[in-house]
Structure formats: C-alpha cells, structure tokens
C-alpha cells in the first residue's frame, strides 16, 4: 500500500466540540417549531462569542443558547461584566442537572425554554386619551428572551438571602421548568402573562 493510502487510514477524525468539554450537541431536539430558528445549537467548546452578533439585526439568534443564559445571569448591577463568574455558575448548574436527571443538560435547558416561553402577552394602546390593554401574539425571538430572563430571575430570587448556592437554585429552576412544574418561577410567570392576555382579548 502506498504511503498516501496509509496516511488517509491513520488520519484521526476531528473531535466534535462538546460544551464545557463534556456535553454533546448531538441528538438535541427542539420540539417547538416556532423556536427552532431562534435557539442556536451550534457546537462550541466555549460559549463566548465576544459580542460579534451585536451590530446585526436579530444577530442574537446566532449566539449559542447557553451563552445567552450566561449573559442573562450577568444582568443586575452587582454581577454586571463578571462573565467568568456567570460561566462557572452555569457550568456547575449543568453538572447538578445531570446528577439529578441523568439527561444531557442542554436538552433539559431546551425543554425548560420551550415550556417557559409565553405565547401571548398584552400591549398598551392609547386611543382618544384612554389607555387600554390588548392581547398580542409574542414573536419567537422575544419568547426565548423572556423565558431565559425568567429562568435566571427565578434562580436569583431563590438564592437571595438563602444559604443555598445560586448554582443549585438555577439547576432546580431549569429542571422544574423542563417538567412544566408550577413550582418553577418561570412557569408561574408565563401562566400569569397568558392569563392577563386572555382577559384582555
């Protein structure tokens, strides 16, 4: 056999990127067809794009969904800009999710987003000096944004003035939302938003 033939046989296959070096992106299923285009599951080793999406319209739809969760954890003034801290929180939360459920944490997060994303909301309309609320459908991009916001908000509220670490609270919040459990803050908020929208139809 020629040396070229041997070289092609011995060439190792390039390894598929795994999140945090552990969690595979293969076989992750998005059940909600409306959210498919807006939940990015591009395989990455490290969820850190450095704001490359910033100047493009709807560019955040191309940011890995785990990075968007990390970015939401940095929101209030105290944690602003501490991405490494938020990165470690999510990394440890994913370990806890795996230990509690035995499933791929990325899949659990996707289910939690699908369940916590509100389909209907209200908008304020002023007509002849009178303000009233009208029910409107929520765009898929905003549905993902609101779901991520409520998941991190629930974890933050659970960990505030509490000996439990935020990693554990975030893991519990994501698992509860994935199971459509009403103990989850994100699920309760979604139901509240949809209930108000239903009464404003």
């Amino acid at each position: 056999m020629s040396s070229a033939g041997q070289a092609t046989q011995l060439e190792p296959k390039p390894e598929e990127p795994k999140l945090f070096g552990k969690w595979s992106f293969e076989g992750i299923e998005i059940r909600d067809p409306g959210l498919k285009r807006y939940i990015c599951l591009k395989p990455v080793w490290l969820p850190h794009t450095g704001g490359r999406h910033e100047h493009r319209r709807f560019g955040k739809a191309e940011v890995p969904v785990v990075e968007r969760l990390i970015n939401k954890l940095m929101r209030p003034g105290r944690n602003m800009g501490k991405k490494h801290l938020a990165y470690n929180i999510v990394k440890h939360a994913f370990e806890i999710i795996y230990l509690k459920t035995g499933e791929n944490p990325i899949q659990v997060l996707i289910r939690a987003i699908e369940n916590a994303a509100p389909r209907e909301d209200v908008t304020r309309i002023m007509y002849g000096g009178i303000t009233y609320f009208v029910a409107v459908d929520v765009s898929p991009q905003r549905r993902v944004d609101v779901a991520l916001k409520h998941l991190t908000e629930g974890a933050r509220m659970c960990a505030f003035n509490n000996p439990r670490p935020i990693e554990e609270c975030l893991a519990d919040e994501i698992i509860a939302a994935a199971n459509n459990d009403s103990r989850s803050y994100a699920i309760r908020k979604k139901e509240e938003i949809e209930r108000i929208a239903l009464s404003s139809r």
Side-chain angles (χ1 to χ4, degrees):
M1 189 184 278
S2 68
S3 58
Q6 280 179 333
T8 53
Q9 272 188 341
L10 299 174
E11 262 179 34
K13 278 186 177 177
E15 200 184 337
E16 182 230 349
K18 289 184 178 176
L19 184 71
F20 306 130
K22 266 190 170 185
W23 316 115
S24 173
F25 286 87
E26 270 184 21
I28 303 295
E29 185 193 4
I30 301 171
R31 292 188 213 145
D32 193 324
L35 300 182
K36 253 181 190 163
R37 277 183 56 202
Y38 297 94
I39 294 177
C40 178
L41 290 171
K42 187 168 56 183
V44 288
W45 292 106
L46 190 72
H48 186 68
T49 53
R52 284 192 288 271
H53 65 285
E54 203 173 62
H55 303 294
R56 284 201 311 277
R57 195 169 182 213
F58 304 126
K60 61 183 168 182
E62 290 161 39
V63 178
V65 72
V66 178
E67 186 183 352
R68 293 183 66 187
L69 178 71
I70 291 169
N71 291 345
K72 288 283 182 195
L73 275 173
M74 297 196 296
R75 284 316 278 275
R78 232 176 109 189
N79 298 329
M80 204 66 192
K82 297 178 186 173
K83 189 150 189 171
H84 193 64
L85 175 73
Y87 172 90
N88 284 332
I89 288 169
V90 172
K91 189 177 178 181
H92 294 143
F94 273 27
E95 298 277 359
I96 295 165
I97 289 168
Y98 178 70
L99 290 172
K100 285 190 174 182
T101 64
E103 291 182 64
N104 187 337
I106 304 170
Q107 182 66 72
V108 179
L109 174 66
I110 297 302
R111 272 210 309 275
I113 290 170
E114 287 173 342
N115 291 339
R119 295 177 197 87
E120 209 175 12
D121 203 349
V122 290
T123 189
R124 192 164 55 182
I125 287 178
M126 282 190 77
Y127 192 74
I130 300 163
T131 305
Y132 59 96
F133 293 93
V134 176
V136 289
D137 289 338
V138 184
S139 71
Q141 178 88 284
R142 181 167 165 76
R143 286 182 69 201
V144 176
D145 284 347
V146 170
L148 288 169
K149 182 182 110 179
H150 289 155
L151 286 168
T152 52
E153 219 170 78
R156 210 175 291 116
M157 284 167 71
C158 161
F160 187 70
N161 273 351
N162 195 335
R164 283 181 77 200
I166 192 165
E167 294 91 338
E168 213 175 290
C169 289
L170 181 62
D172 286 349
E173 179 65 36
I174 290 170
I175 291 166
N179 295 333
N180 225 342
D181 192 335
S182 58
R183 284 177 299 178
S184 159
Y185 173 84
I187 296 294
R188 286 200 309 274
K189 286 292 280 184
K190 174 212 171 182
E191 285 170 356
E192 185 190 329
I193 289 167
E194 288 185 344
R195 192 172 61 247
I196 294 166
L198 185 64
S199 64
S200 302
R201 272 184 191 170

